[in-house]
Amino acid sequence: QADGKVRFGTWDRMAFVSGALVSRSAAVQTAVNSASSFVPSRSSWRCSVRRSVSAPRTGVMMQATGETLEDWLRTNKVEPKLAQTARAIFTACKEIAYKIRTASCDKMACFNEFGDEQLAIDLLADKALFDNLEACGVVATASSEEVPIEKPITEGGAYSVAFDPLDGSSIIDTNFSVGTIFGVWPGAKLTGVTGRELVCSGLAIYGPRTTITLAIDGVDDAHEFLLMDDFSGKHGQFIHTQVFSKVEEGKLFAPGNLRAVSDNPGYADLVQYYKDNKYQLRYTGGVGSHVKQKLLQG
């Protein structure tokens, strides 16, 4: 933006996450560009990524290889500094998952076992990401929904990272799934860049399980990693579990701000189209979990 701030809006999140995780597909770009008109067009919703193998209709291939994140990054020959950035984000997400499970929170703040008020959970998540990005030593600039400016991290760093530390923080106290959304660009700037320049993006979901779905430059498809929490030999490690090759058409819809149908005729027409065509309504208030749902079920 002209004022040097990085903006995070609902449509930005949806376009950023779904578009990034399917390798900047031209179909996604078309859907994003036309989103504000709310005109139902089923053909524009379909998007795909490069595939090296065939996949079932859902676009999901189960691949419980047991590869750790470290092994997967090495096997796929991910550029070393980009791999270091990804590791830092995964480490932060592991910390956030723990904080979400153990903090007693309301919408404004969290409390420790003595009842002392602490930072709100989204600020704790924000701090975890900034701290880990600084510690990795290869990130030049970072920006978040909580700190929407280009914040210098490491002089001479190779990458810049933008993130929403805790999407859905307002539904934490209901124990719904929430998430972290992130994107990585080459260089030291986050203003004046586009989704087509992303070299890495991902979506963490904190629910009954903690997973991160990752798309990274030079590697086909989007890949899911599961945080092991079973006190086995791999406890605390992220394990490669699934591959998403495309997003198929499905029969689910998750309309945010449904009250807007009273004021926006285009939005009202879109929702009516879903209803007339027997789509199933699913919405919790957290964008991340619904993007993951679309990856899994279309």
Side-chain angles (χ1 to χ4, degrees), residues 22-28 46-51 245-247:
V22 291
S23 284
R24 300 164 294 187
S25 144
V28 171
R46 183 176 296 171
C47 46
S48 61
V49 294
R50 296 166 294 160
R51 294 189 288 167
S245 63
K246 59 183 177 179
V247 180

Side-chain angles (χ1 to χ4, degrees), residues 92-194:
C93 290
K94 180 163 66 172
E95 290 181 23
I96 294 167
Y98 176 77
K99 292 178 189 298
I100 289 172
R101 289 200 312 270
T102 57
S104 175
C105 299
D106 58 25
K107 291 181 180 179
M108 299 302 296
C110 294
F111 304 88
N112 62 20
E113 62 268 32
F114 303 107
D116 299 320
E117 185 172 335
Q118 299 177 311
L119 285 174
I121 190 66
D122 50 355
L123 297 181
L124 291 172
D126 199 60
K127 185 177 186 302
L129 279 155
F130 273 115
D131 286 352
N132 279 278
L133 292 175
E134 183 176 356
C136 78
V138 297
V139 173
T141 306
S143 181
S144 77
E145 187 173 41
E146 309 301 327
V147 185
I149 59 172
E150 291 183 311
K151 181 179 179 181
I153 302 295
T154 300
E155 186 175 356
Y159 296 101
S160 294
V161 183
F163 55 88
D164 182 348
L166 201 61
D167 172 66
S169 56
S170 63
I171 57 174
I172 283 280
D173 47 351
T174 60
N175 209 24
F176 286 154
S177 294
V178 294
T180 295
I181 303 166
F182 62 88
V184 181
W185 282 263
K189 289 192 67 63
L190 286 168
T191 52
V193 298
T194 71

Side-chain angles (χ1 to χ4, degrees), residues 101 226-232 234-237:
R101 289 200 312 270
L226 169 69
L227 178 61
M228 299 298 288
D229 193 15
D230 60 356
F231 298 98
S232 68
K234 291 184 176 179
H235 180 78
Q237 297 188 59

